[in-house]
Each structure stands twice: as C-alpha cells, then as structure tokens.
Amino acid sequence: MLENISKRKNSWWSLFIKLVVVLALIALIALVLRLVENYIERPVKAYSYQYLARVINLKPERNIKLKAGEIVTIKIRYKNLGYKDWVNSGSRALYLKAKDSNFYNRTWLGKTTPIRLFYPKIRRGDAIWFIFKIKAPAINGLYKEKFFLKAGNYVVKNSTVQFNITVYGGKNPVKKVLSKPVQQNLFTIHLGEKNKLPLTIESKKLDNYQILLKNGKKLSKIKGKKIKVDFNFDLKRYFILDQNNRRLLMTDEALIFSPQNGDVRFEIGNNEKKYRFCGKLEFEFKNNTLHIINTSSAKCLPEQEQKIRFWQVISPKIEIKKNILFKKEPNIRVGLFYITKSSIYKYLPIKIKTLNNQPYNIKTKNGTLLTRATKGDLFEISYSFKYNRYFIRYKGKRLAMTDEPIRFIPDSKNAIFKIVSWKNGPFWGMNVNDNEFRGILEIQYNPSTSRLWIINELPIEKYLRGVSEVWDSWPYEFLKAQKVAARTYALFRLSNPKYTKTPNKKPIFTVRATQADQVYRGYLGELRNSCIVRAVKETRGLVITYQGKPIAAYYFAQSDGRTRDSYRVRMTSKPVPYLISRPDPPGEGHRLKGHGVGLPQQGGKVAAEQGANYFQILKYYYPGTEITKMY
C-alpha cells in the first residue's frame, strides 16, 4: 500500500517537472523571438536609415481592376522603423508620393503627391494609415502604379508599394505606327573641295549628343553649343574642333553623332549653305568623297515653316526697366477674417501665441505697451461690441483692457504667430489648417461695417510667398509670371485702396486673404510651395507698369478662347489700354471661369508649357505694359 502511494507521488512529481520544463521552453522561445524581432526592426543609425518603413497592411490588395474614370480609396498602413520621427511640417515633412502617376485625383496635393502626413508626429515603432483616392485613366490597359514615402529630399527606405491596376471600359490605346527612318545626304564634299570644310554643328541641346565610332565605341560627350568637324583627305582622318578651332579629338574611324534623348533640332553648315536636321548624323569617307548623312525619325521643317504660337508675337528677350519708387520693400496689410456680433461664440476669444517660444509685445495702435510675452505665451483676446473695448487674458485672468486696436509685435523678423483658435481649412481638398503667419497681427474693429477684423501686416515679398493661387507643380515660368502679377496687384491696391468704408475713409487693410483679392495661406502655404517661394525670390521687386505706375493686374482661372475688356464687363469705370480683349487659344472650347479680365491662368500655364518665358506671358496678356524694377 505504501509503495503504491510512493509511486503515485513520484508520477505526479515527474509530471509537474515536465510541465515546468515545457513552460520554461515556451518562455525561452518567446524571448528569442522577441529579440529577433527587435533586432530586425532596430534602425541602423547610418544616414541612409534615418528614414525606414515597413508596409504592414494594404486595402485593397495589390491587384486591382477598375473601370475607366472610376474613383477608389486606397489605404496603406506603414510602420516607422527608422531612427527619425515622422513629422507633418518643416523642411522634412512626410508626404506620400506617386511615381509618374496616371491615377491623379483632384483631392491630391499635386500631380505626384496624394497626401501629407496628417498627425504632427509618428515616433519609431508607431504605425499610421495613409488614406487617399485614385481615379482610373480613360485608356484601357495594365498600369503599374508605385507609391512611396518622402521626408523632405529623402526617400523613406522600403516604403515603395506597387499596385497592378487593370483599367477597362475606356478607350483602347492607340497603337504607335513606327515610321521608317528618313535618310538624306546633307553634304557631299569631294577631294578638291577642301574649302567647304570645316563644317559647323550648332544647337542649344548639343550636349544631348554622343560621339561614336562606326564600330560603336564611344569617344566623348560633346560640351558646349557649337563644334566644328574637319577632315584631312590625305590622312583620311577626322578632327573635332571647338568654336575657337582648338582640337578636341581626332580619329581615323567614321564618325557618328547619336542623340541620347530623342530627336533634337540642329543646324549644320559652312559659309555656302546650312541645313536643319534631327536624329543621327554620320560622316563617311568612300570613293575619295566625304558624305554627311542624316537619319531621322521625322523630317524637320525649316524654321520659317513652323507654326507660330500665340505668345511668340512677343520677343523672348527680357527687358527690365528700372524705376525705384520705393526706397525699401513696402509692407502690406491683409484682412485674414472678421467677427460679427452673430459669430462671437464661434471665434471669440481669439487665442494667439508664437512658435518656438519666440518673444513678442502686445501694444495698442498708438504704441502703448500692454504686456509682454517672453516665451511665446498664449494670450486670449476678447472684444465687447457694446462698449467697443478689447480685453487681454492670460491663463483665464484679465491682464489689461483698452479702447484702441491691439497689435502683436514679434521681437524677431523670423517669428511665426499662430492663431490657435482659428480653423482655416481644408484647402483645395487638403486637410490643412493654415493659421500661422509671419509679421504682425492686429485686431481692429471697423464701426462702419460692424466687423472685428484680424489683420496680418508684413513685408510684401513675405506675403507673396503665402499667396496660393495655383499649384506649386505648374510650369516654373508661369509661376514667375503669376508672382509678378500678384506683386503688381498688391502694389496697385496700396495706391488705389479698395476697402475705404471706414469712419475716416482710410482702409484698415490693403487686401483680403480670399478670392476677393488674392488667396493667401500664410506661413504653412509657404512651406508647401517651394517652387512658388523660389519664383518670388527670383522676381523680387519686379512689377508690371503702364506709364511708370503699377497696373491693375487682374487675373482669373480660365477663358473661353478670349479675354474680356475690363470696361465692357464693368471691372473698371473707363476703358483701360492694357485690359482689352485678347485671343486666348488655350481657352477655346472651354467654359469661362472667373471675370475674364487680364491673365487667364490656364492660358498662361499652356504658354509656359509650350516654351514661353514669364516676360512673354505678361506682355501678351497685358499689352502695352513694361516690366519694371521698383525696389
């Protein structure tokens, strides 16, 4: 009996030990797996791995079937495995980009930018959904659409996602019929015609050509816009010279000038005759004769036979007049938004602070100091419509009150104010809140309209950086034209005020921040539009003038083939020589969008795409004007 009890105890003890061993093994395996996972996800602190991601979910799957024109929502979930946090502002704001996309949707931020990171910060190890829409193109076929993350100039490693999208129900793609190459003998130079050499080859895109030998060996890439080719009949040797007749190279093999980027228009010739050509150029010596043969995929029309585009009636030579009317860059006052008695519960109190703890003063209109914020503190401003009085509060406690307008004045020119209480978005389908501004903020009541205005006062060039009338991805020459027009309109309004319904008939601001004047999105608009900012810098101080004064540089979205005369549509009280009706071929077949006076932005965009510079665009749509440097 005792023996049986002892055996039973031993069996239970053995079972317990086995259970403990199994549990220990399970814990050990779990620990090893955790260490492996941490090792795999551990970011390499090398520069190239500061930004690293992993795709952890997709909706829908990678293979998609869409009907032409169909819009579908794409969801990509990324996990941040990099050394850096992901942020949605600043020079390294995180964007989801598309590579050469055929699925652009109007909700995108740009042609290749579906969306920006919504949350302020995504730390290492955190995951985030990127949700956006795509629209299927009108042409049937299989498309390989790639999306990836980009932080500033840095592509996030391992973030590329490819969708294989089959489009049906649309137009079938047009099959390209390859035309037979056209071959022509441009020059034939015989032994006794050495005076026809050397031949000069000239083009603005000469560096797109590679010099090859007949056997396919590459010699060199051409540098410069003009070279010369000479040939020694006795030695049967080719010499390539620069435009100053200095020898670049020589060879006994037949020469071939081969284009690298498609057909480029060239000119070849000597003192007797010249030819324009495209494609490949071959030099071949046989039967004591030098042959220069051109092989191209398309015949090149002589320059005089080419179609003249509408903007080419203006010379491409940029001529800038100089008339310094302003000793220094002028300031502009922008009416951001207003508050009425019926909207006080929506907008009041107004909460304002600075970014990065920048110090500032709060003063009255006449300069009396009310309080000082040493660390960018958040202050609340309330207003009594009944008593015409402004109240300043800090952390719920009243600090000061005054009957005069209030001004927020930063210590530094680079300080940025944020109107925390104001929701200024979305904008053009982007989920943004553009409530950050350079310069000075002012709160002023206008008794003539019973409106309490929030005004942004800043230098005009800083203002232009935040004017967002077109996409940043539009042709750069048009962006320059648009910035010159926007600068001109702002300066015109300084001397020709629009908002004079005030007690003393003097405007309290120059322009509004809406389409009533020019769409202004402040500092965040500036951060989104790097090309627009560059266009502002490169055209600094340039103004469209007529008889030495800034013009009323009206512009609008799109014409129907012709712009409108300002007097006929009652935009001006009398005829204006530079605001007359003009043909606008890019607008033909479209509906008029806007008032129709001045520069149609779609027409200017097309002109820039066709090769027009900003000077030609402005001189065409504002006839009889000059481009003048005013400060």
Side-chain angles (χ1 to χ4, degrees):
M1 184 72 176
L2 292 173
E3 185 179 349
N4 289 336
I5 293 172
S6 177
K7 287 181 179 180
R8 190 177 298 170
K9 284 183 178 180
N10 289 336
S11 65
W12 279 107
W13 179 250
S14 176
L15 182 63
F16 175 74
I17 291 173
K18 289 179 181 179
L19 182 62
V20 170
V21 171
V22 169
L23 292 174
L25 285 173
I26 292 173
L28 181 61
I29 292 170
L31 178 62
V32 170
L33 290 175
R34 181 62 179 171
L35 291 173
V36 169
E37 182 182 6
N38 288 340
Y39 178 79
I40 292 173
E41 292 191 356
R42 184 182 62 190
V44 181
K45 294 188 179 180
Y47 195 75
S48 59
Y49 288 90
Q50 289 183 351
Y51 294 99
L52 181 67
R54 186 174 71 191
V55 179
I56 57 177
N57 205 345
L58 291 174
K59 293 182 181 180
E61 296 299 325
R62 295 177 187 266
N63 297 316
I64 308 173
K65 193 172 183 180
L66 297 177
K67 188 175 181 179
E70 182 180 352
I71 296 175
V72 69
T73 299
I74 298 292
K75 298 181 181 180
I76 307 175
R77 187 168 176 82
Y78 286 103
K79 188 172 185 179
N80 182 3
L81 302 180
Y83 181 58
K84 291 281 188 180
D85 292 339
W86 295 349
V87 295
N88 69 349
S89 62
S91 61
R92 294 194 183 181
L94 190 76
Y95 290 86
L96 182 73
K97 307 287 285 186
K99 188 174 183 180
D100 302 326
S101 179
N102 293 292
F103 292 79
Y104 169 78
N105 183 269
R106 62 185 181 86
T107 60
W108 289 18
L109 304 182
K111 291 294 183 182
T112 60
T113 310
I115 195 172
R116 182 175 69 169
L117 178 66
F118 176 74
Y119 293 99
K121 184 180 289 187
I122 299 297
R123 299 184 184 278
R124 179 198 166 209
D126 292 343
I128 181 70
W129 282 104
F130 282 82
I131 303 173
F132 59 99
K133 293 182 178 180
I134 62 173
K135 182 178 180 180
I139 307 299
N140 296 336
L142 176 63
Y143 296 84
K144 295 183 179 181
E145 190 77 359
K146 292 183 179 180
F147 298 95
F148 60 94
L149 296 177
K150 194 171 183 181
N153 294 325
Y154 306 101
V155 175
V156 178
K157 190 174 179 63
N158 295 342
S159 67
T160 301
V161 177
Q162 178 175 302
F163 290 93
N164 301 315
I165 306 175
T166 302
V167 177
Y168 67 95
K171 298 179 181 178
N172 291 323
V174 178
K175 293 183 179 180
K176 294 183 178 180
V177 179
L178 299 176
S179 58
K180 293 182 179 180
V182 178
Q183 190 174 80
Q184 53 183 332
N185 198 334
L186 299 180
F187 285 87
T188 302
I189 302 175
H190 301 286
L191 182 61
E193 298 176 320
K194 296 180 182 180
N195 60 323
K196 293 183 179 180
L197 293 170
L199 293 174
T200 300
I201 303 175
E202 185 173 2
S203 173
K204 292 181 179 179
K205 297 184 179 178
L206 195 57
D207 55 355
N208 284 338
Y209 266 50
Q210 188 87 34
I211 306 176
L212 308 174
L213 297 182
K214 191 76 172 180
N215 59 15
K217 180 182 177 181
K218 295 180 181 179
L219 285 183
S220 174
K221 191 174 181 181
I222 302 171
K223 296 181 180 180
K225 297 179 180 179
K226 182 188 293 186
I227 63 165
K228 297 179 180 180
V229 178
D230 204 351
F231 183 74
N232 187 307
F233 283 82
D234 298 323
L235 300 175
K236 299 178 182 178
R237 185 168 295 168
Y238 297 91
F239 299 90
I240 297 179
L241 316 171
D242 65 14
Q243 55 187 345
N244 296 318
N245 293 323
R246 289 177 296 196
R247 184 183 297 175
L248 299 177
L249 57 90
M250 63 180 180
T251 178
D252 297 336
E253 296 284 338
L255 285 176
I256 299 174
F257 289 75
S258 179
Q260 294 187 351
N261 299 317
D263 287 344
V264 180
R265 193 175 299 275
F266 280 74
E267 184 176 271
I268 182 171
N270 51 29
N271 295 329
E272 295 182 2
K273 56 183 177 180
K274 293 183 179 181
Y275 288 99
R276 295 183 181 278
F277 71 107
C278 296
K280 185 168 64 174
L281 191 67
E282 297 180 58
F283 287 73
E284 186 176 12
F285 181 71
K286 58 182 180 181
N287 301 325
N288 292 323
T289 303
L290 180 64
H291 300 271
I292 296 91
I293 303 165
N294 171 223
T295 305
S296 63
S297 60
K299 295 181 179 179
C300 294
L301 294 174
E303 192 170 283
Q304 61 270 24
E305 294 181 20
Q306 295 178 25
K307 183 180 178 181
I308 300 297
R309 301 189 186 276
F310 70 100
W311 48 268
Q312 288 180 321
V313 298
I314 307 298
S315 170
K317 185 179 179 181
I318 298 175
E319 296 179 345
I320 306 297
K321 305 289 183 180
K322 193 171 183 179
N323 182 19
I324 306 299
L325 289 185
F326 304 93
K327 292 183 179 180
K328 63 177 183 178
E329 177 186 344
N331 281 355
I332 189 168
R333 290 168 59 83
V334 187
L336 298 177
F337 66 100
Y338 63 84
I339 303 170
T340 62
K341 288 182 181 179
S342 61
S343 62
I344 56 175
Y345 297 107
K346 181 179 179 181
Y347 291 108
L348 289 179
I350 304 167
K351 300 178 181 180
I352 298 175
K353 69 173 186 176
T354 54
L355 302 184
N356 302 319
N357 300 322
Q358 288 289 322
Y360 63 93
N361 293 322
I362 302 179
K363 297 183 178 181
T364 63
K365 186 82 170 179
N366 66 9
T368 302
L369 179 65
L370 297 174
T371 188
R372 175 166 175 77
T374 57
K375 296 182 179 180
D377 310 85
L378 187 148
F379 283 91
E380 297 181 1
I381 308 298
S382 294
Y383 180 78
S384 171
F385 283 84
K386 183 177 180 180
Y387 299 107
N388 186 25
R389 190 161 294 164
Y390 305 83
F391 301 92
I392 303 174
R393 289 185 172 86
Y394 178 68
K395 294 184 178 180
K397 295 182 179 180
R398 183 184 296 177
L399 293 183
M401 64 180 179
T402 178
D403 297 336
E404 291 189 37
I406 294 176
R407 287 167 63 82
F408 287 69
I409 305 173
D411 288 9
S412 169
K413 293 180 179 180
N414 296 320
I416 306 297
F417 280 110
K418 182 171 185 175
I419 307 176
V420 178
S421 56
W422 185 33
K423 175 65 176 175
N424 187 27
F427 176 65
W428 285 356
M430 296 180 284
N431 190 16
V432 297
N433 185 17
D434 293 333
N435 61 355
E436 298 176 9
F437 301 93
R438 294 181 180 273
I440 296 170
L441 291 181
E442 182 177 309
I443 302 172
Q444 182 172 352
Y445 179 67
N446 181 6
S448 297
T449 59
S450 300
R451 291 175 174 178
L452 180 68
W453 276 97
I454 289 74
I455 299 163
N456 182 201
E457 180 182 312
L458 71 167
I460 194 168
E461 297 295 321
K462 295 289 195 298
Y463 158 74
L464 290 170
R465 294 183 183 187
V467 172
S468 302
E469 285 282 349
V470 297
W471 289 107
D472 192 61
S473 57
W474 279 27
Y476 187 61
E477 285 300 313
F478 176 75
L479 295 182
K480 290 164 70 175
Q482 205 284 327
K483 286 299 138 186
V484 175
R487 181 183 295 109
T488 303
Y489 179 84
L491 290 176
F492 175 80
R493 283 292 167 224
L494 280 176
S495 55
N496 298 271
K498 182 178 179 181
Y499 302 102
T500 56
K501 192 177 180 180
T502 59
N504 60 6
K505 305 301 179 185
K506 293 182 179 180
I508 63 172
F509 54 82
T510 317
V511 294
R512 292 181 62 174
T514 66
Q515 289 179 335
D517 290 294
Q518 299 184 129
V519 177
Y520 172 63
R521 305 301 295 185
Y523 178 65
L524 291 176
E526 175 183 331
L527 293 182
R528 287 194 298 268
N529 300 315
S530 59
C531 293
I532 285 176
V533 171
R534 183 160 65 97
V536 172
K537 292 179 180 179
E538 291 189 7
T539 63
R540 177 181 171 84
L542 296 186
V543 181
I544 314 166
T545 59
Y546 183 78
Q547 296 180 348
K549 297 180 180 180
I551 70 167
Y554 295 119
Y555 52 88
F556 61 102
Q558 180 177 277
S559 83
D560 53 5
R562 194 168 190 91
T563 66
R564 301 297 193 264
D565 185 294
S566 64
Y567 180 63
R568 288 183 178 272
V569 297
R570 299 181 181 179
M571 284 280 287
T572 56
S573 59
K574 60 182 180 180
V576 178
Y578 55 81
L579 294 179
I580 60 175
S581 179
R582 296 282 281 167
D584 180 42
E588 293 177 1
H590 295 279
R591 254 176 46 184
L592 176 67
K593 295 180 182 179
H595 48 65
V597 176
L599 168 65
Q601 299 194 127
Q602 285 291 341
K605 174 178 178 282
V606 171
E609 289 171 342
Q610 293 174 347
N613 61 39
Y614 79 96
F615 184 84
Q616 290 173 298
I617 295 170
L618 295 173
K619 292 276 286 182
Y620 177 82
Y621 288 109
Y622 302 111
T625 60
E626 304 287 348
I627 308 299
T628 305
K629 180 81 169 175
M630 285 201 156
Y631 57 84

